[in-house]
Amino acid sequence: MWVPKAILTNLCGVSQKIKNPNQKGNGFVIGLVALVAVVVVVIGAVVFIGRSQPIKDVPNEDVNFSVSLDGDVIRIGQENAKDAKTAVVFEDFSCHYCADMSNGGHADELQALNDGKMVIEQRTLNFLDGQRVEDRDGHSTRAYAIARMIAESGNAKAYWNYHNMLMQQQKTAVSWDNEELAKRLEQLGVDAGIVEKVRAGVDLSEAQVSATANSKDLEKRIGSVSSPHVFVNDKDVLENISGAGGLESWVKAVLG
């Protein structure tokens, strides 16, 4: 069949521009690499912004005392407080009565510690985690494991604010995952090494053993395990405080 030369030329021109659909040029590869790079940068920016955003409910009180870890005891108070009353406090981070006591007596406790009138020896429990003693790995145990690390670091301000944060926000703190908790610890000024351990998942073994020892200590004193209890000269000063609302006066009971 005869085809006009002009049409034949156009058809040939078109056919020369058609490429194998399976053939990928350098432009395609470069474009793909650029797209992946952009996605990585965007994800990195989102993670950075998310971690750097301040959390409004993190306390930031200054303190005038020290903190240390001594075996199963976390000691807070001025090191050379000559006439200070020593209060041995048994508490569980999941105990709502402990939260009532901590929150209600917060101002009195801070002032007594800052003024050198009181030294606290905290013996933390984890019985409210509910499993067998050797298998307890819930909120109480994790919170205590972190408290031990902060106390051992000697950062009194971070420890004080960490403890109060968990007591003030007890109902929600139990649901914080490692990342959420790590963000709060960063804002509290906790050492970076501790923050990364929390982010990766805290080793609970030492806290489990220590909390068990504290439970045994309390059981020797009163014949059972419960919380809170505050001992001054081996006497539980909370015995004379009636009702949950009266727990706010525990510091006054210690100081006499």
Side-chain angles (χ1 to χ4, degrees):
M1 179 181 68
W2 177 82
V3 179
K5 184 177 180 180
I7 297 176
L8 182 60
T9 300
N10 290 337
L11 288 173
C12 291
V14 172
S15 65
Q16 289 174 354
K17 294 179 181 179
I18 297 175
K19 295 183 178 181
N20 184 345
N22 296 321
Q23 182 181 352
K24 298 178 180 178
N26 290 337
F28 175 82
V29 175
I30 293 172
L32 182 60
V33 171
L35 177 61
V36 171
V38 170
V39 171
V40 170
V41 170
V42 171
I43 292 175
V46 170
V47 172
F48 175 79
I49 292 173
R51 286 189 177 182
S52 62
Q53 288 295 315
I55 301 172
K56 296 180 180 179
D57 55 6
V58 174
N60 185 33
E61 291 183 318
D62 291 321
V63 301
N64 184 35
F65 52 83
S66 62
V67 64
S68 61
L69 177 65
D70 182 12
D72 303 317
V73 174
I74 294 176
R75 181 189 184 279
I76 57 176
Q78 293 185 358
E79 294 181 3
N80 298 315
K82 297 180 181 179
D83 299 322
K85 292 288 187 70
T86 298
V88 181
V89 178
F90 288 86
E91 62 181 9
D92 188 309
F93 278 105
S94 300
C95 167
H96 68 277
Y97 289 119
C98 298
D100 289 341
M101 186 179 84
S102 177
N103 298 331
H106 175 87
D108 290 339
E109 180 183 6
L110 181 59
Q111 183 174 348
L113 290 169
N114 281 336
D115 292 345
K117 294 181 178 180
M118 180 172 68
V119 171
I120 297 176
E121 294 181 355
Q122 290 178 334
R123 286 187 170 272
T124 307
L125 309 169
N126 68 345
F127 70 99
L128 289 175
D129 275 355
Q131 304 98 315
R132 294 188 308 166
V133 171
E134 61 272 22
D135 294 331
R136 288 172 180 162
D137 59 358
H139 172 69
S140 297
T141 308
R142 182 180 70 156
Y144 180 39
I146 297 169
R148 287 174 60 84
M149 289 191 291
I150 300 173
E152 190 172 26
S153 76
N155 191 336
K157 179 179 178 179
Y159 178 81
W160 171 258
N161 287 304
Y162 167 77
H163 181 276
N164 287 318
M165 177 180 69
L166 291 190
M167 289 304 185
Q168 291 166 6
Q169 302 171 53
Q170 190 180 77
K171 292 181 180 179
T172 56
V174 67
S175 64
W176 294 344
D177 60 21
N178 292 337
E179 179 61 29
E180 290 174 315
L181 187 50
K183 289 179 183 178
R184 288 168 167 80
L185 295 179
E186 285 177 328
Q187 197 164 324
L188 288 171
V190 173
D191 292 357
I194 297 175
V195 172
E196 290 311 310
K197 287 181 180 179
V198 171
R199 186 168 275 127
V202 182
D203 181 0
L204 303 180
S205 56
E206 287 187 5
Q208 289 168 332
V209 172
S210 180
T212 299
N214 287 333
S215 292
K216 291 179 179 178
D217 183 293
L218 179 60
E219 194 167 9
K220 288 180 180 179
R221 294 172 187 255
I222 65 173
S224 61
V225 177
S226 59
S227 62
H229 294 279
V230 179
F231 291 88
V232 177
N233 297 326
D234 294 326
K235 180 181 179 181
D236 190 352
V237 300
L238 298 187
E239 286 182 344
N240 298 322
I241 296 178
S242 60
L247 289 172
E248 64 185 27
S249 63
W250 74 275
V251 174
K252 293 181 175 67
V254 169
L255 298 180

